[in-house]
């Protein structure tokens, strides 16, 4: 059965969320830069967020990505998509609703693979929103190709010693702990020889070389850490899962993480689109509002179609995750949604800049930041090209090569096949296609 309807009871919750995000959370963008959302040391921000979080809990909407046994609403991915597109309108909303990446993905893998002790120490405070965490995989010399990772964990006695560097570790500066993905067995393929460790950020030997920011952010105010591990001593109790399990574990978090980013991107793209529509109906040039210029209308139409196509793919992907409960089965859809997140956000933010003129490109509007965020979506969790490869491989995987000289759609070959099948019938009058009959 196919349906595009939202039941009335759930729609009420969505309406509450939409009003709450618009009235209470979107204005926070005027007070704090977006990466501050993770800064648990910012007392002013925390004082503002705390009562908002209470209202979300009272509304029964805290951590809406989680099942009830972990303190969430158990809405499933399709309803989550509808919720996340509301939360995506503001960089602060996911924190207020307990659904901020990378904490969501980190909680997911702790829940799946953590020991009871690890869950008590890290998972519960993470789910309660009392701490933030960091997932650290990328290295300065290697991002998209894990075969080039050199950061290692080496067995020493009963423990492990961590040595090497990590790069662009988001929120490490505010994180209580890092989930670090390192090579633990260099003798085998990295896909079987990498492990994950839970490393409290204050552990002796964890060095912050610097915190990089995104373009436009002031030096030293960034949230993406360049880390060095100087003989950091760890024990087996710090291992997440078994040695060699890192990629298996990573897939659990990355699949969900990517599609949740896509859901939120629908929301931000729609917000940018609304700004465009408002502006072109308000601004007059050459005797008429911009909205009546046909080239502007073409832009509006194209953007609307881009966003709606993207949204439908995201919704269908969410529906498939609910149905199959296995990210592997939905990997093509997730990869496609990931690629489109960048494209759609870049496209709509670029047009928002352009159609607002000088105002659009100025620092008095948010579009420059949104454009950069669009590009970030094409890098974080892997560059778009890598995901395009996944989409293509899956598409090619279901189509076999032909054993014939000519392709299946070759018309003369098709005529031969169908004529052989209906040889008797075609002797009767009425067959008019003379082409290639002889
Ligand atoms: C906002 C943001 C937050 C991030 N947060 C984290 C984090 O918390 N933890 C973490 O570990 N990492 C994080 N990253 C890093 C991110 O995972 C990497 O940037 C990404 O994996 C790409 O690696 P790279 O930057 O080294 O680029 P490279 O691997 O050097 O790739 C550069 C470019 O080369 C091209 N390319 C690469 N591979 C291929 C290919 N196979 N085929 C064709 N072209 C290719 C692409 O154009 C790509 O953009 C974050 C990145 C961003 C932008």
């Amino acid at each position: 059965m196919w349906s595009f309807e939202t039941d009335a009871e759930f729609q009420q919750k969505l309406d509450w969320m939409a009003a709450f995000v618009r009235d209470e959370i979107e204005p926070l963008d005027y007070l704090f830069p977006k990466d501050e959302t993770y800064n648990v040391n910012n007392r002013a921000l925390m004082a503002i967020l705390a009562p908002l979080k209470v209202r979300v809990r009272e509304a029964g909407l805290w951590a809406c990505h989680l099942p009830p046994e972990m303190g969430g609403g158990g809405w499933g991915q399709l309803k989550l998509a509808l919720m996340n597109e509301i939360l995506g309108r503001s960089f602060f909303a996911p924190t207020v609703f307990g659904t901020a990446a990378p904490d969501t993905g980190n909680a997911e893998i702790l829940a799946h693979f953590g020991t009871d002790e690890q869950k008590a120490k890290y998972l519960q405070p993470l789910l309660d929103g009392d701490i933030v965490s960091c997932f650290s995989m990328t290295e300065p010399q290697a991002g998209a190709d894990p075969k080039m990772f050199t950061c290692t964990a080496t067995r020493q006695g009963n423990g492990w010693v961590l040595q090497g560097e990590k790069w662009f570790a988001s929120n490490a500066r505010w994180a209580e702990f890092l989930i670090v993905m390192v090579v633990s067995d260099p003798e085998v393929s990295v896909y079987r020889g990498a492990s994950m460790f839970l490393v409290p950020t204050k552990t002796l030997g964890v060095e912050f070389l610097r915190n990089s920011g995104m373009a436009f952010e002031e030096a030293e105010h960034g949230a993406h850490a360049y880390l060095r591990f100087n003989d950091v001593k760890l024990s087996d109790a710090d291992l997440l899962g078994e040695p060699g399990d890192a990629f298996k574990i990573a897939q659990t978090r990355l699949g969900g993480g990517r599609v949740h980013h896509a859901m939120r991107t629908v929301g931000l793209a729609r917000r940018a689109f609304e700004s465009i529509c408002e502006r072109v109906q308000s601004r007059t040039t050459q005797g008429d509002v911009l909205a009546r210029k046909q080239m502007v209308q073409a832009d509006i139409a194209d953007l609307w179609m881009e966003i709606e196509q993207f949204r439908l793919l995201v919704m269908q992907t969410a529906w498939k995750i609910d149905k199959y409960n296995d990210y592997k089965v939905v990997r093509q859809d997730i990869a496609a949604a990931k690629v489109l997140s960048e494209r759609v956000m870049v496209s709509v933010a670029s047009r928002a800049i352009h159609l607002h003129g000088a105002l659009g490109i100025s620092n008095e509007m948010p579009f420059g930041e949104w454009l950069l965020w669009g590009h970030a979506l094409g890098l974080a969790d892997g560059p778009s090209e890598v995901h395009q490869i996944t989409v293509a491989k899956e598409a090619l995987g279901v189509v076999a090569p032909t054993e014939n000289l000519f392709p299946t759609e070759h018309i003369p070959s098709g005529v031969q096949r169908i004529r052989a099948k209906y040889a008797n019938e075609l002797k009767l009058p009425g067959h008019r296609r003379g082409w290639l009959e002889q």
Side-chain angles (χ1 to χ4, degrees):
M1 198 169 86
W2 292 77
S3 168
F4 293 91
E5 279 170 333
T6 310
D7 67 70
E9 200 183 325
F10 185 63
Q11 186 60 50
Q12 278 183 353
K13 295 201 181 302
L14 294 176
D15 293 344
W16 183 88
M17 285 176 88
F20 186 70
V21 168
R22 185 190 62 232
D23 299 339
E24 305 290 345
I25 309 183
E26 284 180 26
L28 297 180
D29 289 352
Y30 303 129
L31 290 178
F32 304 98
K34 73 174 166 46
D35 282 327
E36 277 295 294
T37 181
Y38 297 95
N39 184 356
V40 286
N41 304 322
N42 184 332
R43 291 179 52 200
L45 176 64
M46 291 303 125
I48 292 171
L49 295 189
L52 297 177
K53 289 181 182 179
V54 171
R55 288 175 63 186
V56 169
R57 283 180 194 275
E58 284 169 355
L61 293 167
W62 177 256
C64 50
H65 61 294
L66 292 175
E69 63 274 18
M70 287 173 69
W75 302 102
Q77 298 296 317
L78 187 54
K79 284 187 169 163
L80 180 62
L82 292 164
M83 295 166 130
N84 264 339
E85 67 182 28
I86 295 171
L87 302 185
R89 293 176 62 92
S90 156
F91 289 108
F92 288 90
T95 298
V96 175
F97 280 76
T99 62
D103 296 332
T104 45
N106 291 346
E108 201 173 349
I109 55 178
L110 275 164
H112 273 95
F113 301 97
T115 61
D116 289 344
E117 202 178 307
Q118 289 168 342
K119 286 180 189 169
K121 189 170 171 189
Y122 300 114
L123 179 60
Q124 203 51 51
L126 203 54
L127 295 179
D128 293 340
D130 294 336
I131 58 171
V132 296
S133 62
C134 165
F135 183 79
S136 179
M137 175 174 170
T138 307
E139 301 187 3
Q141 80 293 347
D145 183 3
K147 296 190 290 304
M148 294 172 65
F149 286 172
T150 57
C151 188
T152 52
T154 312
R155 260 285 178 217
Q156 207 171 81
N158 290 332
W160 299 87
V161 177
L162 204 59
Q163 183 72 44
E165 292 183 349
K166 289 287 174 186
W167 164 246
F168 239 73
S170 301
N171 312 325
R173 65 188 302 180
W174 300 303
E176 186 75 12
F177 68 99
L178 320 165
I179 299 182
V180 190
M181 196 157 154
V182 289
V183 176
S184 54
D185 183 354
E187 301 303 317
V188 299
S189 147
V190 70
Y191 298 103
R192 286 182 290 118
S195 303
M196 272 191 203
F197 286 90
L198 298 160
V199 185
T201 315
K202 294 197 172 71
T203 309
L204 193 68
V206 175
E207 183 185 357
F208 280 71
L209 296 176
R210 62 176 181 269
N211 289 301
S212 299
M214 305 262 282
F216 310 131
E217 285 174 346
E218 285 176 42
E220 272 310 309
H221 282 261
H224 311 284
Y226 184 7
L227 297 168
R228 182 175 291 155
F229 300 106
N230 303 297
D231 292 326
V232 175
K233 307 268 186 299
L234 299 172
S235 73
D236 278 339
D238 300 314
L239 247 180
L240 185 61
E242 297 296 318
D245 271 358
F247 277 87
K248 190 176 91 185
I249 299 174
Q251 281 319 312
T252 308
R253 89 182 279 296
L254 290 173
R258 287 171 186 141
V259 80
H260 296 166
H261 268 313
M263 295 168 180
R264 286 187 289 265
T265 304
V266 172
L268 193 59
R270 282 183 151 190
R271 188 174 166 191
F273 183 68
E274 285 163 19
S275 307
I276 294 173
C277 292
E278 182 196 76
R279 179 68 173 177
V280 300
Q281 298 201 82
S282 317
R283 181 80 169 174
T284 300
T285 189
Q286 302 281 358
D288 215 343
V289 286
L290 288 173
R292 292 178 67 89
K293 313 283 177 202
Q294 287 190 342
M295 277 191 270
V296 172
Q297 289 171 356
D299 263 349
I300 299 289
D302 287 348
L303 288 172
W304 186 87
M305 291 186 283
E306 279 174 41
I307 296 169
E308 287 305 298
Q309 287 178 52
F310 171 50
R311 181 173 190 249
L312 285 173
L313 178 75
V314 172
M315 291 293 168
Q316 183 182 265
T317 305
W319 176 82
K320 283 188 183 177
I321 298 172
D322 281 338
K323 185 173 168 65
Y324 301 114
N325 197 21
D326 181 356
Y327 289 131
K328 284 201 288 294
V329 179
V330 193
R331 67 157 77 87
Q332 184 181 29
D333 309 67
I334 293 177
K338 161 86 169 78
V339 173
L340 287 177
S341 300
E342 177 197 18
R343 283 194 195 157
V344 172
M345 200 60 231
V346 166
S347 171
V348 68
S350 302
R351 294 321 288 165
I353 289 176
H354 192 75
L355 288 166
H356 281 73
L359 179 67
I361 207 162
S362 75
N363 60 4
E364 296 186 8
M365 299 301 288
F367 307 134
E369 189 178 38
W370 294 357
L371 174 63
L372 194 67
W373 180 245
H375 285 291
L377 289 166
L379 291 169
D381 295 340
S384 295
E385 289 89 335
V386 171
H387 297 284
Q388 283 174 276
I389 292 169
T390 302
V391 175
K393 272 188 182 164
E394 294 287 321
L396 292 169
V398 295
V399 180
T402 176
E403 290 173 1
N404 302 320
L405 177 60
F406 292 105
T408 303
E409 297 296 345
H410 184 233
I411 294 172
S413 311
V415 169
Q416 266 184 355
R417 283 195 300 272
I418 196 73
R419 284 191 63 214
K421 182 172 175 183
Y422 291 116
N424 289 333
E425 290 85 341
L426 291 175
K427 287 177 192 147
L428 299 170
H431 175 226
R432 303 212 337 205
R433 185 152 190 175
W435 194 61
L436 290 173
E437 296 280 309
Q438 276 46 274

